[in-house]
């Protein structure tokens, strides 16, 4: 086999791998139904659009179902700023460092710097949490408690953004 053939074979394999990852995200989303959508704004700046999907198209805290939270960013956000805001929200919700601290190093490795137009999604399949960046799998956290505290930022009744929550869970529309 020539060098050119090997290079073409490697490129084809990489393209197929990337396409398979994209198809996996699209497949997951196609099996779910949108519950609601909301835009998070700070003062007069829109920061991101968010959408929540579930198996049934409805949201219930008591129901164990697959959830997908998709966030489309409208502004650039550095990874460290995203981590800082996440910790602030966990503290606002009353979570202790013992509850969220063990995830910070993993998130620091998984999350990239965000540019306007990027999307960051979390799929909770009730066994583990899968992060996707622009449709591509970033990594998985194999701990059922992580999704609970991460999604609480948006879905808890104690969230700092109650209107955003209502819109995401389909109780109010934009």
């Amino acid at each position: 086999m020539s060098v050119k053939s090997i290079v073409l074979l490697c490129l084809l394999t990489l393209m197929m791998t990337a396409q398979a990852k994209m198809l996996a995200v699209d497949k997951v989303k196609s099996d779910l139904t949108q519950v609601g959508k909301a835009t998070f704004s700070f003062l007069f700046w829109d920061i991101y659009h968010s959408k929540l999907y579930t198996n049934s198209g409805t949201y219930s805290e008591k129901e164990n179902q697959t959830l997908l939270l998709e966030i489309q960013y409208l502004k650039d956000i550095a990874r460290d700023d995203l981590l800082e805001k996440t910790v602030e929200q966990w503290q606002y919700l009353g979570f202790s460092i013992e509850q969220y601290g063990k995830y910070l190093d993993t998130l620091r490795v998984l999350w990239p710097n965000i540019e306007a137009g990027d999307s960051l999604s979390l799929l909770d399949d009730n066994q583990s949490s899968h992060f996707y960046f622009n449709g591509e799998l970033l990594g998985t956290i194999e701990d059922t408690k992580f999704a609970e505290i991460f999604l609480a930022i948006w879905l808890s009744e104690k969230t700092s953004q109650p209107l955003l929550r209502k819109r995401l869970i389909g109780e109010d529309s934009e």
Side-chain angles (χ1 to χ4, degrees):
M1 189 178 277
S2 71
V3 172
K4 185 177 180 181
S5 296
I6 292 171
V7 169
L8 286 174
L9 185 59
C10 289
L11 286 173
L12 182 59
T13 302
L14 286 172
M15 287 173 33
M16 289 173 58
T17 302
Q19 185 177 18
K21 286 181 180 179
M22 293 298 284
L23 290 175
V25 171
D26 290 342
K27 173 74 171 116
V28 167
K29 202 169 173 182
S30 71
D31 291 341
L32 302 174
T33 302
Q34 184 176 309
V35 177
K37 63 182 182 173
T39 299
F40 174 70
S41 301
F42 180 73
L43 299 176
F44 50 85
W45 294 288
D46 288 343
I47 308 299
Y48 62 76
H49 297 303
S50 55
K51 294 179 182 175
L52 180 66
Y53 299 84
T54 65
N55 299 99
S56 65
T58 61
Y59 173 74
S60 170
E61 287 183 49
K62 296 173 176 69
E63 203 173 310
N64 276 347
Q65 61 178 334
T66 300
L67 296 172
L68 176 69
L69 176 67
E70 181 180 71
I71 299 175
Q72 182 80 37
Y73 288 89
L74 306 172
K75 301 282 182 201
D76 296 353
I77 301 176
R79 172 189 48 231
D80 290 340
D81 291 340
L82 191 57
L83 278 166
E84 180 183 322
K85 295 298 180 194
T86 301
V87 168
E88 286 175 10
Q89 289 303 306
W90 281 333
Q91 291 170 343
Y92 176 87
L93 290 166
F95 291 113
S96 67
I97 185 78
E98 290 78 22
Q99 290 173 290
Y100 65 78
K102 61 186 170 186
Y103 305 118
L104 295 178
D105 287 338
T106 302
L107 294 176
R108 191 170 284 107
V109 170
L110 283 180
W111 287 352
N113 291 316
I114 302 289
E115 295 181 6
D118 287 340
S119 68
L120 187 62
S121 303
L122 177 79
L123 173 67
D124 170 21
D125 63 12
N126 293 303
Q127 297 172 6
S128 49
S129 300
H130 312 277
F131 276 104
Y132 295 89
F133 178 67
N134 294 333
E136 189 172 321
L137 182 65
L138 284 176
T140 299
I141 297 177
E142 301 284 348
D143 183 341
T144 57
K145 290 291 183 193
F146 175 76
E148 182 182 320
I149 70 165
F150 186 74
L151 291 170
I153 293 169
W154 295 271
L155 302 178
S156 168
E157 290 183 0
K158 298 187 297 184
T159 182
S160 66
Q161 301 297 317
L163 181 57
L164 185 128
R165 175 187 182 270
K166 281 185 174 192
R167 290 179 173 163
L168 276 177
I169 66 173
E171 290 182 359
D172 193 355
S173 59
E174 284 190 297

